[in-house]
Amino acid sequence: MKFIKEDLAEQVAAAVAGRKQIVIRGGGTKAFYGNAIAETEQLVELDVTPYTGISSYEPSELVMTARCGTLLSEIEAALDEQNQRLAWEPPHFGERATIGGAIATGLAGPGRMAAGGASDFVLGTVLLNAEGQQLRFGGTVMKNVAGYDMSRLLTGSMGVFGPILEVSFKVLPKPICEVTLQRHCSLKEAFECFGQWQAKALGISASAWIPEGDTQQGVLYLRVSGAEPAVRQACGVVGGEQVDEQIAKDLWRSLREHTHPFFGDTVWRVAVPPLADTVNESVPLLEWGGAQRWLRQVSDVTNIRHAAAQRGGHATLFRAGTGVSQPVDGVFQPVSAGVAAITRRLKSNLDPLGTFYSGRLFRNI
């Protein structure tokens, strides 16, 4: 794979020499996410998909290292053979989803509420900078105190600082036992349930409240994972009707991949503390115990962002449907002046010439 890395470095060097900006392209399954790319003659693509393969995998150490173009499906198949998994359940949004795209976007699925996000599992990264150098951050162990935790910073950076060539990450064993329960209840009752269960050790690994149409009535789903006696005890506490195993798997996959009927052309994502009150007049789909809220209708962008910020969160235009314009200040909620200043300094240090296009993540950075 050395020649591929050298080829990528040469492409970066050519872009620098030609005073071009680079847009990093992987499998393309998450191309919809982020600010629209401004089409100009100054932009060139850097295709990182040829750089593939699992570099190392130590099942006993629960650590894997893979190159950026490696398909998520390939990684999950290798883990499945060892009865292990990617605990943050990264969404694919297509068959060509890669580990590089999963880390660059930092997106997580239903398991995020219990296991943590992508950044909680990244141990080390290799970044290709604008000078063609490979910068190594972190390693392959959880306890690493050598310098700044750049690997976590790169998670979710959307290629602002350059392509992540390689990533080392922690994996986890699959649960011994897993049960999904359901109960019909209102939105208000769902929040009450989340509040009751929040402080209890019940092994809830995923939760969702899905509305019936645009009404305040819906179905609350809970996934309980762990040892069989603990799962049995938790089921007795939370109650509800057990869902068939295959139907449950299909449900959680549909929420992860946004193939559930709730998700239409346009989807807003609001992240707030779990028990914060409503931020919008439309009926949401809830995940993560109420911390992640999906909305199909947002009439006033300024109002919903203000409401999210007032509750300690933020609002993102996750997917813009046909005919829907992105907000002037971008799909992501604008960061504070202090965070913007820190970001500019980081960008200046890691990419002083502004070689790597940053517009997908930030406007005016």
Side-chain angles (χ1 to χ4, degrees):
M1 288 296 174
K2 182 179 179 181
F3 72 95
I4 294 179
K5 285 194 290 186
E6 291 175 347
D7 180 60
L8 292 174
E10 289 175 3
Q11 291 182 55
V12 171
V16 172
R19 297 185 178 182
K20 304 284 188 180
Q21 273 197 313
I22 293 174
V23 175
I24 301 164
R25 184 172 69 84
T29 63
K30 302 173 184 68
F32 67 87
Y33 184 63
N35 297 317
I37 297 175
E39 296 183 6
T40 70
E41 294 181 354
Q42 295 302 113
L43 291 180
V44 294
E45 284 191 345
L46 180 68
D47 184 3
V48 298
T49 54
Y51 194 49
T52 64
I54 296 173
S55 306
S56 65
Y57 177 31
E58 297 293 339
S60 61
E61 299 295 328
L62 299 175
V63 173
M64 177 182 283
T65 300
R67 302 182 183 102
C68 59
T70 310
L71 296 179
L72 279 178
S73 57
E74 179 183 339
I75 289 172
E76 289 170 342
L79 293 174
D80 191 58
E81 292 179 358
Q82 300 295 326
N83 202 35
Q84 295 178 351
R85 64 192 172 111
L86 297 174
W88 76 96
E89 297 181 54
H92 294 211
F93 298 134
E95 296 179 355
R96 301 300 303 169
T98 64
I99 187 64
I103 301 303
T105 57
L107 299 175
R112 166 68 176 84
M113 70 168 289
S119 62
D120 296 304
F121 290 86
V122 172
L123 303 174
T125 52
V126 177
L127 179 75
L128 180 66
N129 71 3
E131 297 177 358
Q133 300 171 324
Q134 296 176 47
L135 307 181
R136 296 181 178 273
F137 303 109
T140 57
V141 295
M142 288 298 290
K143 190 174 182 181
N144 192 315
V145 294
Y148 297 106
D149 195 350
M150 290 295 297
S151 295
R152 293 194 180 191
L153 172 72
L154 294 176
T155 305
S157 64
M158 302 281 285
V160 167
F161 306 114
I164 300 171
L165 293 183
E166 198 169 74
V167 58
S168 298
F169 47 91
K170 183 178 177 62
V171 301
L172 291 181
K174 290 184 178 181
I176 297 173
C177 179
E178 195 163 78
V179 171
T180 294
L181 303 169
Q182 68 173 13
R183 65 165 67 180
H184 291 267
C185 66
S186 67
L187 176 61
K188 181 177 181 294
E189 290 169 336
F191 276 117
E192 291 173 352
C193 289
F194 290 147
Q196 293 171 11
W197 299 327
Q198 191 178 50
K200 297 180 180 179
L202 296 173
I204 298 174
S205 60
S207 65
W209 180 83
I210 303 174
E212 296 175 342
D214 290 323
T215 73
Q216 295 281 325
Q217 296 297 317
V219 183
L220 175 61
Y221 295 94
L222 289 179
R223 188 177 68 190
V224 183
S225 308
E228 188 172 346
V231 169
R232 194 183 310 116
Q233 182 179 15
C235 289
V237 173
V238 302
E241 176 187 354
Q242 186 168 332
V243 180
D244 174 79
E245 183 178 352
Q246 188 57 53
I247 293 176
K249 286 182 178 179
D250 291 342
L251 168 73
W252 297 116
R253 186 182 298 110
S254 74
L255 293 176
R256 185 190 76 183
E257 301 299 330
H258 283 198
T259 56
H260 190 278
F262 177 91
F263 300 102
D265 289 339
T266 300
V267 184
W268 278 81
R269 174 182 179 267
V270 178
V272 289
L275 302 182
D277 58 5
T278 57
V279 297
N280 181 272
E281 68 281 0
S282 64
V283 180
L285 184 153
L286 305 179
E287 285 194 272
W288 305 354
Q292 179 164 257
R293 306 176 187 184
W294 300 101
L295 301 172
R296 293 181 289 196
Q297 299 175 11
V298 171
S299 57
D300 189 330
V301 173
T302 302
N303 181 62
I304 193 170
R305 285 180 168 170
H306 176 73
Q310 288 291 99
R311 292 159 178 76
H314 53 84
T316 300
L317 176 53
F318 190 82
R319 189 193 297 267
T322 305
V324 176
S325 300
Q326 294 187 350
V328 176
D329 52 1
V331 301
F332 300 107
Q333 186 147 336
V335 297
S336 67
V339 173
I342 293 172
T343 305
R344 289 190 187 97
R345 289 200 295 271
L346 283 168
K347 177 68 171 173
S348 177
N349 287 329
L350 290 172
D351 183 20
L353 298 178
T355 301
F356 298 105
Y357 183 74
S358 59
R360 280 190 68 189
L361 182 60
F362 292 115
R363 296 278 176 86
N364 304 319
I365 289 292

